[in-house]
Amino acid sequence: MPASTTTTTAPAVLTAKALLLDMDGTIVNSDAVVERCWRDWAVSHGLDPQEALKVVHGRQGYATMAVLLPDRPMEVNLAENAVMLARETADTDGVVPVAGAPAFMAAIDGLPHALVTSADAALATARMTAAALPMPEVRVTAESVGASKPDPEGFLKGAAALGVDPADCIVFEDSAAGIAAGRAAGMRVIGVGHRAAAHGPTVHVPDLTSLTVTTGPEGSIRITVRSEPQATPAR
């Protein structure tokens, strides 16, 4: 069997004036709750839970339901979404920070950033509290937008609230819908976690331990992304 060699690439450095953070899967690991709730919902509607879980991440609940049950009236989706939000808000068992999230949030304290999440305000508060992460002062939650990700509305509103041009923002996202929303907003996207890699983020990291945050000239934010060593077969 041929030996292998380990190669590394130089760290990527991205600069921005503001950071826009998704919550679930990006800074908070809530997969246990999401999967419990949506598996039950899928089974109760005669759907394959594994197939359902492929589309739930990143969207508001009503939008997920519309994808999975396209012929159902939207008012039914909205009513069931309210029930789902209440259940998810009450269930914080297994909600933990994504690896590196506490240090990352401490590093961006005082820098322009916003939370842009498909959760409503109550669910966002419950999960950030359960993960012991500080809640950003600027927040765009489900109540703030008329369209769910992958629509870019949430990220554009986050940029506007911070007074920063979209091109000067970096989005942190884990899901296909969220990455698509960030790109549609004209922003660069750092994809976080295993779901993100396949959906075309600007750069991908396994978790937030791979990032270093510093400030550059005139208050710019510098994100250094350390590449993972890769083993390649020796020739």
Side-chain angles (χ1 to χ4, degrees):
M1 179 178 294
S4 63
T5 59
T6 299
T7 60
T8 58
T9 57
V13 179
L14 286 75
T15 61
K17 293 181 180 177
L19 310 178
L20 303 177
L21 316 176
D22 174 54
M23 181 180 70
D24 293 304
T26 301
I27 56 176
V28 173
N29 182 346
S30 56
D31 283 1
V33 179
V34 171
E35 293 187 7
R36 275 196 299 273
C37 292
W38 282 97
R39 281 180 185 278
D40 289 350
W41 182 89
V43 169
S44 71
H45 289 81
L47 300 173
D48 180 347
Q50 289 303 115
E51 292 302 310
L53 289 175
K54 292 178 181 179
V55 299
V56 301
H57 296 287
R59 293 180 173 86
Q60 291 191 43
Y62 75 84
T64 293
M65 294 171 188
V67 171
L68 295 171
L69 296 172
D71 297 326
R72 197 166 73 156
M74 185 56 72
E75 58 265 26
V76 178
N77 296 337
L78 292 169
E80 287 195 5
N81 183 47
V83 174
M84 179 68 78
L85 283 170
R87 178 181 174 184
E88 290 190 86
T89 301
D91 184 357
T92 56
D93 186 24
V95 174
V96 295
V98 165
F104 174 75
M105 296 301 288
I108 66 172
D109 182 34
L111 301 177
H113 68 282
L115 189 72
V116 181
T117 175
S118 294
D120 66 5
L123 180 57
T125 299
R127 287 187 175 163
M128 292 290 282
T129 300
L133 293 175
M135 179 67 82
E137 291 185 12
V138 178
R139 302 180 287 276
V140 180
T141 58
E143 302 96 332
S144 308
V145 298
S148 172
K149 299 170 186 177
D151 191 283
E153 180 185 0
F155 288 123
L156 293 173
K157 284 194 170 182
L162 293 169
V164 176
D165 187 273
D168 291 323
C169 295
I170 293 175
V171 165
F172 289 74
E173 265 287 358
D174 73 301
S175 69
I179 291 168
R183 294 180 68 183
M187 302 174 183
R188 291 155 295 159
V189 181
I190 294 179
V192 181
H194 67 278
R195 282 188 292 269
H199 302 295
T202 308
V203 295
H204 172 257
V205 294
D207 56 47
L208 297 172
T209 63
S210 298
L211 304 175
T212 301
V213 182
T214 55
T215 54
E218 300 179 356
S220 64
I221 303 169
R222 293 170 55 90
I223 306 291
T224 303
V225 182
R226 297 184 297 281
S227 301
E228 295 295 307
Q230 296 183 346
T232 56
R235 295 184 180 275

